[in-house]
Amino acid sequence: MRQDSIAVHSNSGSGDSVKTAATAHHELTPKEVLSWLPADATPAQQDSAIQRHIKISEIHWSQQPDTLHMPGHPKGKSIYDISLPQYYRESFFSEKPYFHPEVSGGRQGVAGDPVPYTVAGDNLFTALLLGCFVLTVIAVARLREFIVRQTRSFFRVQRGNTTEFSETSNELWVQLFLIVQTCLLASLCYFLYTCMDAHDAFLFEQPVIIGIFAAIFLVYFLLKFVLYESVGWVFFDVKKNEQWGKSYLLLISFLGLLLFPLVLLLTYFDLSTESAVIYVIAVVVFVKILAFYRTYIIFFVQKSSYLKYILYLCALEIVPLCALWGILTVASQYLKVNF
């Protein structure tokens, strides 16, 4: 059985004298202690030898202040001392055009990968959606009877002697808010649709792009309303035009309420593009079916002229919708950066 090398060295007097002479002149290093051991010494034997001959002493830190000035000269003064003269605070580079002490000279360490942009982490989207949700809840809670009355009258065939209910100023303001919300939500949907491709980049910031798309939707709804009124003024009476105007505003508000869940799913739950397109198509078709039904019971229920009804739908429903899609496509192409 092999003996410990430390014990072997301790038994030899010559080894103790050598080590004593070595430690008397300078402090031992781990390399010197390991050089005393045989070449086949185990790690345990090396550790034992180092612990025996090298003692960790207490560290005594210097108590002298670090003045950072030339020996024999007094301690420097701070530039924030208001009693210093002007020539002391200025330097040779103070009046130079390239002297910018406020600019950072660089970063410490290695720059990491930047966090990619996500719609869910955008404060603008979160604020818009939260504001729309809160204002919608308040509007529905305060004007519940108005919404129920408008919904019931939407599916009812009104006769000539039917009493009409006029809206109050608060109800009109709520309808205007819901229309603006519909334009905003539609613009958010189309913006998210255009952002599906990660290689696309816009010329302006996200708020500007969303505002442009919302303005396009708002102009579309206003032009359709003017077109409805113009055609209705030529072919129908004032009462029917008024009924259709109220129904049209209700349909726009209802469209915005249906688009709100889609925006939430696209923003925070990574809904696929195919599912989002199917949802939008289903919502648009459903709203158009309601518009067709309301148009029929207001204008054509007493007239069996189906040709006029088809022409009316094509001219005022299908063609403007196709024109809107074309305008949005062209506008998004002009707003994107073309590499």
Side-chain angles (χ1 to χ4, degrees), residues 22-274:
T23 56
H25 292 85
H26 66 279
E27 294 184 359
L28 294 176
T29 62
K31 181 179 179 181
E32 293 176 349
V33 175
L34 294 179
S35 64
W36 300 338
L37 301 178
D40 57 346
T42 61
Q45 293 173 348
Q46 296 175 359
D47 182 70
S48 178
I50 291 176
Q51 291 184 4
R52 178 177 179 181
H53 294 283
I54 298 179
K55 303 298 182 181
I56 300 176
S57 60
E58 184 180 358
I59 299 176
H60 299 281
W61 300 102
S62 176
Q63 301 297 327
Q64 297 295 329
D66 188 9
T67 57
L68 294 179
H69 60 268
M70 296 295 293
H73 293 269
K75 182 180 179 181
K77 299 181 180 181
S78 175
I79 61 173
Y80 299 102
D81 188 0
I82 60 175
S83 62
L84 294 178
Q86 186 69 18
Y87 66 85
Y88 196 94
R89 293 194 296 267
E90 291 182 351
S91 64
F92 175 76
F93 300 98
S94 298
E95 302 299 332
K96 303 299 180 181
Y98 305 105
F99 180 68
H100 295 284
E102 72 278 1
V103 179
S104 176
R107 64 168 61 92
Q108 296 179 355
V110 180
D113 295 333
V115 179
Y117 172 79
T118 57
V119 180
D122 196 338
N123 295 330
L124 174 66
F125 275 84
T126 304
L128 288 177
L129 294 178
L130 183 60
C132 290
F133 176 76
V134 173
L135 294 177
T136 302
V137 170
I138 295 175
V140 173
R142 292 188 175 183
L143 302 176
R144 185 182 307 173
E145 297 180 358
F146 168 74
I147 297 174
V148 173
R149 187 174 69 249
Q150 290 288 338
T151 305
R152 289 178 179 177
S153 63
F154 185 86
F155 297 97
R156 184 182 304 169
V157 180
Q158 298 181 356
R159 304 301 177 181
N161 56 356
T162 304
T163 304
E164 292 287 342
F165 295 95
S166 59
E167 293 84 358
T168 61
S169 60
N170 293 332
E171 294 172 349
L172 291 176
W173 280 111
V174 169
Q175 280 191 327
L176 291 177
F177 161 73
L178 293 177
I179 293 172
V180 173
Q181 176 181 275
T182 302
C183 298
L184 181 59
L185 293 175
S187 65
L188 290 176
C189 290
Y190 189 76
F191 176 76
L192 294 174
Y193 173 76
T194 56
C195 291
M196 292 298 179
D197 190 0
H199 300 286
D200 290 339
F202 291 96
L203 296 174
F204 306 102
E205 298 293 333
Q206 287 85 359
V208 179
I209 302 299
I210 296 172
I212 293 174
F213 289 154
I216 293 175
F217 281 102
L218 183 60
V219 171
Y220 166 75
F221 289 130
L222 291 177
L223 290 179
K224 280 196 65 175
F225 184 79
V226 173
L227 188 60
Y228 283 136
E229 291 295 325
S230 302
V231 175
W233 178 75
V234 174
F235 296 99
F236 307 104
D237 56 5
V238 178
K239 185 176 181 180
K240 291 183 178 180
N241 290 330
E242 184 180 356
Q243 293 177 5
W244 171 244
K246 295 179 180 179
S247 303
Y248 179 67
L249 296 179
L250 183 63
L251 286 174
I252 297 176
S253 304
F254 186 62
L255 177 63
L257 295 178
L258 293 178
L259 290 178
F260 188 76
L262 176 63
V263 177
L264 293 179
L265 292 175
L266 287 173
T267 304
Y268 299 106
F269 297 96
D270 296 332
L271 186 66
S272 62
T273 308
E274 294 78 8

